[in-house]
Structure formats: C-alpha cells, structure tokens
Short mmCIF file of all heavy atoms in Angstrom, two decimals:
data_model
loop_
_atom_site.label_atom_id
_atom_site.label_comp_id
_atom_site.label_asym_id
_atom_site.label_seq_id
_atom_site.Cartn_x
_atom_site.Cartn_y
_atom_site.Cartn_z
N GLY A 195 -9.44 -2.95 -15.42
CA GLY A 195 -10.14 -1.69 -15.66
C GLY A 195 -9.40 -0.49 -15.11
O GLY A 195 -9.29 0.55 -15.77
N LEU A 196 -8.85 -0.63 -13.90
CA LEU A 196 -8.08 0.47 -13.32
C LEU A 196 -6.77 0.68 -14.06
O LEU A 196 -6.30 1.81 -14.22
CB LEU A 196 -7.83 0.24 -11.84
CG LEU A 196 -9.04 0.41 -10.95
CD1 LEU A 196 -8.69 0.14 -9.49
CD2 LEU A 196 -9.66 1.79 -11.09
N GLU A 197 -6.16 -0.41 -14.54
CA GLU A 197 -4.94 -0.27 -15.34
C GLU A 197 -5.24 0.50 -16.62
O GLU A 197 -4.45 1.34 -17.06
CB GLU A 197 -4.32 -1.63 -15.64
CG GLU A 197 -3.08 -1.56 -16.51
CD GLU A 197 -1.91 -0.78 -15.92
OE1 GLU A 197 -1.84 -0.55 -14.70
OE2 GLU A 197 -1.03 -0.38 -16.71
N ALA A 198 -6.38 0.26 -17.23
CA ALA A 198 -6.76 1.00 -18.45
C ALA A 198 -6.93 2.49 -18.15
O ALA A 198 -6.47 3.33 -18.93
CB ALA A 198 -8.04 0.42 -19.04
N ILE A 199 -7.56 2.81 -17.02
CA ILE A 199 -7.69 4.22 -16.64
C ILE A 199 -6.30 4.82 -16.42
O ILE A 199 -5.99 5.92 -16.90
CB ILE A 199 -8.54 4.37 -15.36
CG1 ILE A 199 -9.99 3.98 -15.63
CG2 ILE A 199 -8.47 5.81 -14.84
CD1 ILE A 199 -10.84 3.89 -14.37
N ARG A 200 -5.43 4.11 -15.71
CA ARG A 200 -4.08 4.60 -15.42
C ARG A 200 -3.30 4.85 -16.70
O ARG A 200 -2.64 5.87 -16.87
CB ARG A 200 -3.33 3.59 -14.53
CG ARG A 200 -1.98 4.11 -14.02
CD ARG A 200 -1.19 3.01 -13.34
NE ARG A 200 -0.60 2.11 -14.29
CZ ARG A 200 0.56 2.33 -14.93
NH1 ARG A 200 1.26 3.41 -14.71
NH2 ARG A 200 1.03 1.45 -15.79
N ARG A 201 -3.41 3.94 -17.66
CA ARG A 201 -2.67 4.10 -18.92
C ARG A 201 -3.12 5.34 -19.69
O ARG A 201 -2.33 5.96 -20.37
CB ARG A 201 -2.81 2.85 -19.78
CG ARG A 201 -2.04 1.69 -19.19
CD ARG A 201 -1.79 0.63 -20.24
NE ARG A 201 -0.58 -0.10 -19.99
CZ ARG A 201 0.66 0.31 -20.24
NH1 ARG A 201 0.89 1.48 -20.72
NH2 ARG A 201 1.69 -0.46 -20.00
N ARG A 202 -4.39 5.71 -19.54
CA ARG A 202 -4.91 6.92 -20.20
C ARG A 202 -4.60 8.18 -19.41
O ARG A 202 -4.61 9.27 -19.99
CB ARG A 202 -6.43 6.84 -20.36
CG ARG A 202 -6.96 5.81 -21.29
CD ARG A 202 -8.47 5.99 -21.53
NE ARG A 202 -9.28 6.19 -20.35
CZ ARG A 202 -9.92 5.23 -19.67
NH1 ARG A 202 -9.83 3.97 -20.08
NH2 ARG A 202 -10.66 5.50 -18.61
N SER A 203 -4.39 8.05 -18.10
CA SER A 203 -4.43 9.22 -17.22
C SER A 203 -3.13 9.53 -16.47
O SER A 203 -3.09 10.47 -15.70
CB SER A 203 -5.56 9.03 -16.20
OG SER A 203 -6.78 8.76 -16.85
N VAL A 204 -2.09 8.73 -16.68
CA VAL A 204 -0.78 9.00 -16.08
C VAL A 204 0.20 9.17 -17.22
O VAL A 204 0.40 8.25 -18.02
CB VAL A 204 -0.35 7.85 -15.13
CG1 VAL A 204 1.09 8.05 -14.67
CG2 VAL A 204 -1.30 7.75 -13.95
N GLU A 205 0.80 10.34 -17.31
CA GLU A 205 1.67 10.68 -18.44
C GLU A 205 2.74 9.64 -18.73
O GLU A 205 2.93 9.22 -19.86
CB GLU A 205 2.33 12.05 -18.20
CG GLU A 205 3.23 12.48 -19.33
CD GLU A 205 3.93 13.80 -19.06
OE1 GLU A 205 3.64 14.45 -18.04
OE2 GLU A 205 4.79 14.16 -19.88
N ASP A 206 3.45 9.18 -17.70
CA ASP A 206 4.56 8.25 -17.92
C ASP A 206 4.12 6.79 -18.11
O ASP A 206 4.95 5.93 -18.38
CB ASP A 206 5.56 8.33 -16.77
CG ASP A 206 6.49 9.53 -16.89
OD1 ASP A 206 6.60 10.09 -17.99
OD2 ASP A 206 7.10 9.90 -15.87
N ALA A 207 2.84 6.50 -17.97
CA ALA A 207 2.37 5.13 -18.17
C ALA A 207 2.65 4.66 -19.59
O ALA A 207 2.97 3.48 -19.80
CB ALA A 207 0.88 5.00 -17.85
N GLY A 208 2.58 5.55 -20.55
CA GLY A 208 2.89 5.20 -21.94
C GLY A 208 4.38 5.12 -22.21
O GLY A 208 4.80 4.75 -23.31
N SER A 209 5.18 5.46 -21.21
CA SER A 209 6.64 5.44 -21.35
C SER A 209 7.28 4.30 -20.58
O SER A 209 8.44 4.36 -20.20
CB SER A 209 7.22 6.77 -20.85
OG SER A 209 6.71 7.85 -21.58
N GLY A 210 6.48 3.27 -20.31
CA GLY A 210 7.01 2.09 -19.64
C GLY A 210 6.92 2.11 -18.13
O GLY A 210 7.37 1.17 -17.48
N LEU A 211 6.35 3.16 -17.54
CA LEU A 211 6.24 3.21 -16.09
C LEU A 211 5.05 2.36 -15.65
O LEU A 211 3.90 2.68 -15.94
CB LEU A 211 6.06 4.66 -15.61
CG LEU A 211 6.05 4.85 -14.09
CD1 LEU A 211 7.38 4.40 -13.48
CD2 LEU A 211 5.76 6.29 -13.74
N GLN A 212 5.33 1.27 -14.96
CA GLN A 212 4.29 0.35 -14.51
C GLN A 212 3.59 0.92 -13.28
O GLN A 212 4.08 1.84 -12.63
CB GLN A 212 4.91 -0.99 -14.20
CG GLN A 212 5.89 -0.93 -13.02
CD GLN A 212 6.94 -2.01 -13.07
OE1 GLN A 212 7.79 -2.00 -13.94
NE2 GLN A 212 6.88 -2.92 -12.14
N ALA A 213 2.44 0.36 -12.95
CA ALA A 213 1.74 0.72 -11.72
C ALA A 213 2.65 0.34 -10.54
O ALA A 213 3.33 -0.69 -10.58
CB ALA A 213 0.40 -0.02 -11.63
N HIS A 214 2.64 1.18 -9.50
CA HIS A 214 3.60 0.96 -8.43
C HIS A 214 3.28 1.81 -7.20
O HIS A 214 2.50 2.75 -7.26
CB HIS A 214 5.01 1.34 -8.91
CG HIS A 214 5.13 2.80 -9.23
ND1 HIS A 214 4.72 3.33 -10.43
CD2 HIS A 214 5.57 3.85 -8.49
CE1 HIS A 214 4.92 4.63 -10.43
NE2 HIS A 214 5.44 4.99 -9.25
N VAL A 215 3.96 1.47 -6.11
CA VAL A 215 4.06 2.31 -4.92
C VAL A 215 5.48 2.86 -4.94
O VAL A 215 6.45 2.09 -4.95
CB VAL A 215 3.80 1.53 -3.62
CG1 VAL A 215 4.08 2.40 -2.39
CG2 VAL A 215 2.37 0.99 -3.58
N THR A 216 5.62 4.18 -4.98
CA THR A 216 6.94 4.81 -5.00
C THR A 216 7.55 4.78 -3.61
O THR A 216 6.93 5.20 -2.64
CB THR A 216 6.83 6.28 -5.46
OG1 THR A 216 6.19 6.33 -6.74
CG2 THR A 216 8.20 6.93 -5.54
N LEU A 217 8.80 4.31 -3.53
CA LEU A 217 9.53 4.28 -2.26
C LEU A 217 10.54 5.42 -2.18
O LEU A 217 10.61 6.11 -1.16
CB LEU A 217 10.23 2.94 -2.07
CG LEU A 217 9.30 1.73 -2.03
CD1 LEU A 217 10.11 0.43 -2.03
CD2 LEU A 217 8.36 1.80 -0.84
N LEU A 218 11.34 5.62 -3.21
CA LEU A 218 12.28 6.73 -3.29
C LEU A 218 12.33 7.26 -4.72
O LEU A 218 12.60 6.50 -5.66
CB LEU A 218 13.69 6.32 -2.86
CG LEU A 218 13.91 6.03 -1.38
CD1 LEU A 218 15.36 5.63 -1.13
CD2 LEU A 218 13.54 7.21 -0.50
N TYR A 219 12.06 8.54 -4.86
CA TYR A 219 12.15 9.22 -6.15
C TYR A 219 12.22 10.72 -5.89
O TYR A 219 11.45 11.20 -5.06
CB TYR A 219 10.93 8.92 -7.02
CG TYR A 219 10.87 9.81 -8.25
CD1 TYR A 219 11.60 9.48 -9.38
CD2 TYR A 219 10.13 10.98 -8.24
CE1 TYR A 219 11.57 10.32 -10.49
CE2 TYR A 219 10.10 11.82 -9.34
CZ TYR A 219 10.83 11.48 -10.46
OH TYR A 219 10.82 12.31 -11.55
N PRO A 220 13.11 11.43 -6.52
CA PRO A 220 14.19 10.92 -7.37
C PRO A 220 15.24 10.23 -6.52
O PRO A 220 15.47 10.58 -5.38
CB PRO A 220 14.75 12.18 -8.03
CG PRO A 220 14.37 13.31 -7.11
CD PRO A 220 13.12 12.88 -6.40
N PHE A 221 15.86 9.22 -7.14
CA PHE A 221 16.84 8.42 -6.43
C PHE A 221 18.23 8.75 -6.95
O PHE A 221 18.45 9.78 -7.56
CB PHE A 221 16.48 6.92 -6.57
CG PHE A 221 17.28 5.99 -5.72
CD1 PHE A 221 17.42 6.20 -4.36
CD2 PHE A 221 17.90 4.89 -6.28
CE1 PHE A 221 18.17 5.33 -3.57
CE2 PHE A 221 18.64 4.02 -5.50
CZ PHE A 221 18.78 4.24 -4.15
N VAL A 222 19.19 7.88 -6.72
CA VAL A 222 20.59 8.08 -7.07
C VAL A 222 20.73 8.44 -8.55
O VAL A 222 20.10 7.79 -9.40
CB VAL A 222 21.39 6.80 -6.75
CG1 VAL A 222 22.82 6.89 -7.22
CG2 VAL A 222 21.32 6.49 -5.26
N PRO A 223 21.55 9.44 -8.89
CA PRO A 223 21.79 9.74 -10.31
C PRO A 223 22.30 8.49 -11.04
O PRO A 223 23.06 7.70 -10.47
CB PRO A 223 22.86 10.82 -10.28
CG PRO A 223 22.71 11.47 -8.94
CD PRO A 223 22.29 10.35 -8.01
N VAL A 224 21.90 8.33 -12.28
CA VAL A 224 22.26 7.15 -13.06
C VAL A 224 23.76 6.91 -13.04
O VAL A 224 24.23 5.78 -12.88
CB VAL A 224 21.72 7.27 -14.51
CG1 VAL A 224 22.22 6.13 -15.37
CG2 VAL A 224 20.20 7.32 -14.52
N ARG A 225 24.54 7.97 -13.17
CA ARG A 225 26.01 7.83 -13.23
C ARG A 225 26.59 7.26 -11.93
O ARG A 225 27.70 6.75 -11.91
CB ARG A 225 26.66 9.16 -13.56
CG ARG A 225 26.56 10.18 -12.45
CD ARG A 225 27.20 11.53 -12.77
NE ARG A 225 26.98 12.46 -11.70
CZ ARG A 225 25.88 13.17 -11.50
NH1 ARG A 225 24.88 13.06 -12.35
NH2 ARG A 225 25.76 14.00 -10.49
N ASP A 226 25.83 7.37 -10.81
CA ASP A 226 26.31 6.89 -9.51
C ASP A 226 25.79 5.50 -9.14
O ASP A 226 26.11 5.00 -8.06
CB ASP A 226 25.93 7.89 -8.42
CG ASP A 226 26.64 9.23 -8.59
OD1 ASP A 226 27.71 9.27 -9.24
OD2 ASP A 226 26.10 10.24 -8.09
N LEU A 227 24.98 4.90 -10.01
CA LEU A 227 24.51 3.53 -9.74
C LEU A 227 25.71 2.60 -9.89
O LEU A 227 26.32 2.53 -10.94
CB LEU A 227 23.41 3.13 -10.71
CG LEU A 227 22.06 3.79 -10.51
CD1 LEU A 227 21.10 3.33 -11.61
CD2 LEU A 227 21.49 3.48 -9.14
N ASN A 228 26.02 1.90 -8.82
CA ASN A 228 27.17 0.99 -8.87
C ASN A 228 26.85 -0.22 -8.00
O ASN A 228 25.77 -0.33 -7.41
CB ASN A 228 28.45 1.71 -8.40
CG ASN A 228 28.31 2.29 -7.02
OD1 ASN A 228 27.74 1.68 -6.12
ND2 ASN A 228 28.84 3.50 -6.82
N ASP A 229 27.82 -1.13 -7.92
CA ASP A 229 27.60 -2.35 -7.15
C ASP A 229 27.33 -2.06 -5.67
O ASP A 229 26.55 -2.76 -5.03
CB ASP A 229 28.80 -3.30 -7.30
CG ASP A 229 28.91 -3.89 -8.70
OD1 ASP A 229 27.90 -3.84 -9.44
OD2 ASP A 229 29.99 -4.40 -9.04
#
C-alpha cells in the first residue's frame, strides 16, 4: 500500500527509482565512476 502511494507521489518513482534510504546524493559524476 505504501509502495502504491510512493509510485503516485514521488516524481522519479516512475523513472525506475526504487524505494530507498539515500546515503550520498548527488554522488560521483558518471564520467568519474571507475574501478
């Protein structure tokens, strides 16, 4: 039930963003992600 509310009420939920606890955001730029 809460996931259904979240999917309707969080903009990025429809863009593949799962329910979560954010630890770091914004994080490393994509171009700098490396081993």
Side-chain angles (χ1 to χ4, degrees):
L196 288 179
E197 178 61 20
I199 293 171
R200 188 189 77 83
R201 289 199 151 281
R202 293 189 313 266
S203 306
V204 172
E205 180 183 354
D206 281 342
S209 300
L211 185 62
Q212 65 206 68
H214 64 278
V215 173
T216 304
L217 299 173
L218 289 180
Y219 169 83
F221 189 52
V222 174
V224 173
R225 69 181 176 278
D226 295 336
L227 288 177
N228 57 40
D229 290 343

